[in-house]
Amino acid sequence: MLPTLFKLCLLTMLSLMTVTSFVHVPSPAVRSNSSKLSMAQCQFPGGKKAEGKAGEPLKAVVARAKYDAPYGCEEGKCGSCEHKVGGKKVRLCVGKVPAGNGPHVFTN
């Protein structure tokens, strides 16, 4: 009798765990609205522009903007891709899109 009761308890626990793991799934509309709010315009030398989310790798935004960044080591060590944005130096190969609505103007 004990093994049968154990199996019943185990099955009940597993079914509850499966149900609760699917309870909180945000709707696509909520996800798209929140990501839209955090998008910011990034402008690079030569008038190249692309949208980027705060915290997104700058390297991805640079690629979308089709800006020919002066990469060297691509590890953030050499400084050849260093630009200024908002008075702060940032290396395009390892930097992140700054917080805020932008526009973020990058100059070299």
Side-chain angles (χ1 to χ4, degrees), residues 14-96:
L14 287 174
S15 64
L16 286 174
M17 288 171 42
T18 304
V19 170
T20 57
S21 65
F22 293 106
V23 170
H24 182 67
V25 177
S27 69
V30 172
R31 275 190 232 134
S32 65
N33 287 340
S34 63
S35 65
K36 188 80 170 168
L37 293 175
S38 64
M39 296 296 281
Q41 182 76 29
C42 295
Q43 182 176 335
F44 301 96
K48 305 287 185 165
K49 297 178 184 177
E51 294 271 320
K53 290 183 195 176
E56 178 182 6
L58 278 171
K59 196 169 187 177
V61 181
V62 168
R64 281 198 304 274
K66 296 185 170 131
Y67 173 57
D68 188 21
Y71 294 121
C73 69
E74 296 191 37
E75 296 176 356
K77 296 177 183 176
C78 71
S80 64
C81 65
E82 193 168 85
H83 282 55
K84 283 188 179 179
V85 59
K88 296 181 181 181
K89 293 179 182 179
V90 64
R91 295 184 180 188
L92 300 179
C93 65
V94 294
K96 307 284 185 191

